[in-house]
Amino acid sequence: MQQPSCPPPPSRPAAAAALLVLADGRFPAGGHAHSGGAEAAVRAGRITGPDSLEDFCRGRLHTAGLVAAALAAAACAGLDPVELDAAADVRTPSPALRATARRLGRQLMRAARAVWPAPELAALAAARPRGAHQPVVLGAAARAAGLTPHDAALAAGYETVSGPATAVVRLLGLDPFRATAVLARLGGELDEVAGRAVAAAGRAATGGTGELPAASAPLLEITAEAHAAWPTRLFAS
Amino acid sequence: MHRDHPVTFPGRHTHGAQAVRPDGRRRALRIGLGGPVGSGKTATVAALCRTLRDEVAIGVVTNDIYTREDADFLLRNAVLPAERITAVETGACPHTAIRDDISANLEAVEELEEAAGPLDLVLVESGGDNLTATFSHGLVDAQVFVIDVAGGDDIPRKGGPGVTTADLLVVNKTDLAPYVGSDLGLMARDAKAQRGGLPVVFTALTRPGGVGPVADWVRGRLAAWRTGGTQ
């Protein structure tokens, strides 16, 4: 069950710069091999250039992104990560996406434990040896790095759009400057999503994980199932 | 401040490179095979499996770029039982998956050892790449770079990290040399100049026993690994 109150993060130096390390696209946690649904959207003709990429990313940010950001913020605030992992499961209908989230969570856990060793990370790894959902691990890693729940929400939300944007550069040969400009244009909305995520995490601290958002993008879930069965693809998801 | 485990393995580069598994057993020796597209990486892996599978327990991780072609080739040819072969997807970046972000390959290697182990040897085959492709020391203990004579006899002279630093350079398809106008003597001299004392072997995998020199090199590595060294 939910802990009645969140324990304070273990004492450590203030570490705002750790956010740059955690959110760096070169952080070695396996994200480079995943497109966040963009490969399926490109194949279906729904992403053809910068404008449709922006539409796709906006949709993902306000659905999967919001949920991921709230889970990460809650984990960073010290809510029980095993409870949050169950909350992530029920918010992810597609078995293929659940498997991807756990695989990426396990890969992130490996990197995070090497970079920011902490007993709480070791405990979560032991409780979920096959991997916890990636946003939960991201929040726990942010906590181990001395970051705030808002930092964790920003990092989780950013990942949900930066992954598709870089994937589409590879898939379509899209001009990388225009792809990155999409991410910059979404900055204000990302801030807003992170704010909502932190507020939800705050409510969940007293009201339980039912307070966390459960927004979903059905097309992402459906196309993820189809994509997982493709015999030929560039990205793992 | 608690920075790391109290006991660190000397010379390790990442957690994944620790030589001892959590249960205390020494893990399998990990050998990476890289090289340009079509040089014979998968053929080398298949031949190594056929030659060594009665001596040691082998697992294989393939890094296909956009298909399961390599893993399927190995399965079709039944060089190993299916549970000893697994594939990693690399997101259009084969060199990233073996060098810059090795997390997926480490997962695959460890899952193989857990599911099909204990293993003595895990071969990690890179997706076909270019002359700069090398493996992270956090992923493998030694690496083989496979080129072929048909790619041009100037490849050893061009050098690059794969040709220059791999623990073993394999020059494959020597049987084609007369047909493509490649000078094997020139390749050998250039390779020696680029690599100093590091070994180079010439193979014709289509001939019986063609993988012999590579298998012998792997046997030497295995013997050293078993006695605690990595060289």
Side-chain angles (χ1 to χ4, degrees):
Chain A
M1 290 306 294
Q2 205 60 59
Q3 297 170 5
S5 65
C6 303
S11 68
R12 59 173 55 78
L19 178 58
L20 301 177
V21 179
L22 184 62
D24 189 337
R26 286 164 289 193
F27 193 80
H32 75 94
H34 296 261
S35 78
E39 184 168 28
V42 165
R43 173 83 69 93
R46 284 189 287 275
I47 299 178
T48 55
D51 293 340
S52 46
L53 171 64
E54 183 167 339
D55 291 344
F56 178 91
C57 287
R58 178 173 289 108
R60 191 158 195 256
L61 175 63
H62 287 279
T63 52
L66 174 65
V67 173
L71 288 165
C76 185
L79 274 73
D80 179 4
V82 173
E83 188 90 358
L84 291 171
D85 189 53
D89 247 353
V90 300
R91 285 163 175 75
T92 315
S94 154
L97 285 184
R98 285 201 297 272
T100 295
R102 291 194 180 283
R103 178 159 289 277
L104 283 174
R106 195 169 141 181
Q107 289 177 238
L108 175 58
M109 177 63 84
R110 177 192 295 276
R113 288 179 71 186
V115 176
W116 297 290
E120 289 183 3
L121 286 178
L124 176 55
R128 286 286 177 274
R130 305 303 300 168
H133 276 256
Q134 194 266 3
V136 177
V137 180
L138 183 64
R143 179 175 170 83
L147 293 169
T148 67
H150 186 255
D151 294 331
L154 275 177
Y158 181 65
E159 267 192 2
T160 61
V161 290
S162 64
T166 52
V168 169
V169 168
R170 294 184 215 162
L171 288 162
L172 286 179
L174 186 67
D175 180 339
F177 302 120
R178 300 189 74 178
T180 305
V182 166
L183 297 177
R185 281 199 295 278
L186 289 169
E189 287 176 62
L190 173 56
D191 281 333
E192 186 256 328
V193 164
R196 286 164 62 197
V198 171
R203 290 193 301 275
T206 51
T209 54
E211 298 289 335
L212 295 173
S216 78
L219 198 53
L220 280 179
E221 303 277 344
I222 293 165
T223 57
E225 288 297 313
H227 181 271
W230 290 4
T232 299
R233 58 184 184 236
L234 280 177
F235 290 86
S237 78
Chain B
M1 181 192 269
H2 177 72
R3 281 289 185 196
D4 209 331
H5 300 297
V7 179
T8 51
F9 183 74
R12 74 174 167 78
H13 298 263
T14 77
H15 284 232
Q18 287 182 83
V20 180
R21 291 161 49 87
D23 63 9
R25 274 190 301 118
R26 197 161 172 80
R27 62 163 171 77
L29 174 69
R30 300 171 185 169
I31 293 181
L33 292 99
V37 174
S39 61
K41 293 180 296 300
T42 308
T44 302
V45 167
L48 280 175
C49 289
R50 289 192 197 99
T51 305
L52 296 172
R53 66 190 173 195
D54 295 331
E55 302 169 33
V56 291
I58 307 174
V60 174
V61 176
T62 64
N63 280 244
D64 285 318
I65 304 177
Y66 53 86
T67 65
R68 283 183 45 85
E69 193 93 11
D70 291 343
D72 288 344
F73 175 87
L74 296 173
L75 290 169
R76 245 190 346 268
N77 286 270
V79 296
L80 288 177
E83 69 273 15
R84 296 279 193 87
I85 301 170
T86 190
V88 166
E89 292 171 287
T90 58
C93 273
H95 49 273
T96 302
I98 61 164
R99 184 187 60 207
D100 310 320
D101 183 349
I102 57 177
S103 55
N105 268 299
L106 283 173
E107 294 289 326
V109 169
E110 291 177 4
E111 281 171 10
L112 256 190
E113 286 207 68
E114 281 164 26
L119 300 175
D120 302 302
L121 172 67
V122 174
L123 301 174
V124 182
E125 181 193 344
S126 167
D129 210 316
N130 58 45
L131 296 178
T132 66
T134 52
F135 286 80
S136 165
H137 295 293
L139 177 60
V140 299
D141 304 298
Q143 47 196 302
V144 179
F145 200 71
V146 183
I147 61 174
D148 69 284
V149 302
D153 61 9
D154 55 348
I155 299 282
R157 181 174 51 76
K158 286 180 179 170
V163 165
T164 309
T165 67
D167 299 288
L168 178 70
L169 179 66
V170 175
V171 182
N172 188 28
K173 307 185 189 176
T174 54
D175 48 324
L176 297 184
Y179 307 109
V180 295
S182 284
D183 180 341
L184 295 179
L186 174 73
M187 293 183 88
R189 286 192 299 279
D190 286 345
K192 185 170 171 52
Q194 289 282 4
R195 293 172 52 76
L198 290 169
V200 181
V201 297
F202 286 78
T203 58
L205 290 178
T206 50
R207 292 183 179 162
V211 81
V214 187
D216 287 342
W217 178 85
V218 171
R219 288 188 185 100
R221 283 285 176 162
L222 276 166
W225 179 251
R226 289 199 186 101
T227 56
T230 57
Q231 294 304 305

